[in-house]
Amino acid sequence: MNYAEIKYNDIANGEGVRVSLFVSGCRHRCKNCFNEIAWDFKYGKEFTDDVADKIIKSCEPDYVAGISLLGGEPFEPENQPVLLEFLKKFRSIYPDKNVWCYSGFTYEELTGTRPSRCYTDITEDMLGLIDILVDGKFEQELHNLMLKFRGSSNQRLIDLNKTRKEGK
């Protein structure tokens, strides 16, 4: 897997100060995507163990609330195996820090209740390590600058812990 960018001390992509990892590769091709350069799976640099360790180390200070995964598309099937292992490692070191993930896929697609290319044998394992999911493709026609942590009104901010607890 490649990554397009890492933002340390990011405050735009989730609550609190975070480290944001922008993965490469996305087939959604949303009109006016803010990160079109990351559509290419080969764009950027290789996500190595050293890169993962640097991100994890950067989360050590108490003021860092957690990490955010963006793209590209974290849930493209090609990206899931690497991100799942990264999230497992992150969670083992920082069980009390949170994980946000931005995906153009909907929750229903990610859980397999609506057919989609994103649903693999490890998708639910990956979802199980994420606290907040911002789901749905960016839709230019529904763009709204007043939305917090979202670009268009079709996108949902889903508390996955609460969703798992309530079963809905």
Side-chain angles (χ1 to χ4, degrees):
M1 179 185 85
N2 280 5
Y3 68 96
E5 184 177 6
I6 300 168
K7 289 186 178 182
Y8 299 96
N9 300 313
D10 186 8
I11 58 169
N13 295 301
E15 291 180 340
V17 177
R18 347 191 34 77
V19 177
S20 294
L21 170 64
F22 294 78
V23 302
S24 295
C26 183
R27 294 181 182 92
H28 296 304
R29 306 289 197 257
C30 300
K31 180 182 175 184
N32 292 328
C33 171
F34 83 100
N35 203 12
E36 187 175 321
I37 198 162
W39 289 355
D40 182 352
F41 284 87
K42 295 178 182 174
Y43 178 76
K45 298 176 184 174
E46 183 181 358
F47 188 78
T48 63
D49 289 339
D50 288 342
V51 172
D53 290 343
K54 184 176 179 185
I55 291 171
I56 288 171
K57 177 73 173 159
S58 72
C59 292
E60 191 174 307
D62 289 340
Y63 65 83
V64 176
I67 59 171
S68 293
L69 304 176
L70 305 94
E73 172 58 62
F75 279 99
E76 287 289 1
E78 297 89 332
N79 291 336
Q80 289 184 43
V82 173
L83 290 174
L84 176 59
E85 292 310 309
F86 172 68
L87 289 174
K88 285 179 182 178
K89 187 172 185 178
F90 178 83
R91 283 287 189 205
S92 71
I93 297 169
Y94 304 116
D96 297 325
K97 294 192 185 249
N98 60 54
V99 177
W100 282 54
C101 185
Y102 288 76
S103 177
F105 294 107
T106 64
Y107 177 75
E108 293 76 16
E109 291 170 319
L110 292 168
T111 57
T113 58
R114 184 178 306 142
S116 172
R117 72 176 182 275
C118 70
Y119 188 72
T120 72
D121 59 339
I122 64 170
T123 305
E124 290 187 42
D125 293 335
M126 193 169 145
L127 279 173
L129 298 168
I130 295 168
D131 298 293
I132 303 293
L133 174 70
V134 180
D135 82 335
K137 295 177 186 175
F138 171 74
E139 294 186 21
Q140 180 62 50
E141 300 75 27
L142 300 174
H143 179 60
N144 183 342
L145 291 173
M146 301 306 292
L147 296 171
K148 195 172 186 180
F149 305 120
R150 300 174 291 153
S152 56
S153 61
N154 63 298
Q155 295 173 312
R156 299 177 292 183
L157 206 137
I158 303 171
D159 182 331
L160 291 179
N161 296 321
K162 185 176 179 182
T163 298
R164 286 186 281 269
K165 183 178 179 181
E166 295 179 3
K168 60 180 182 169

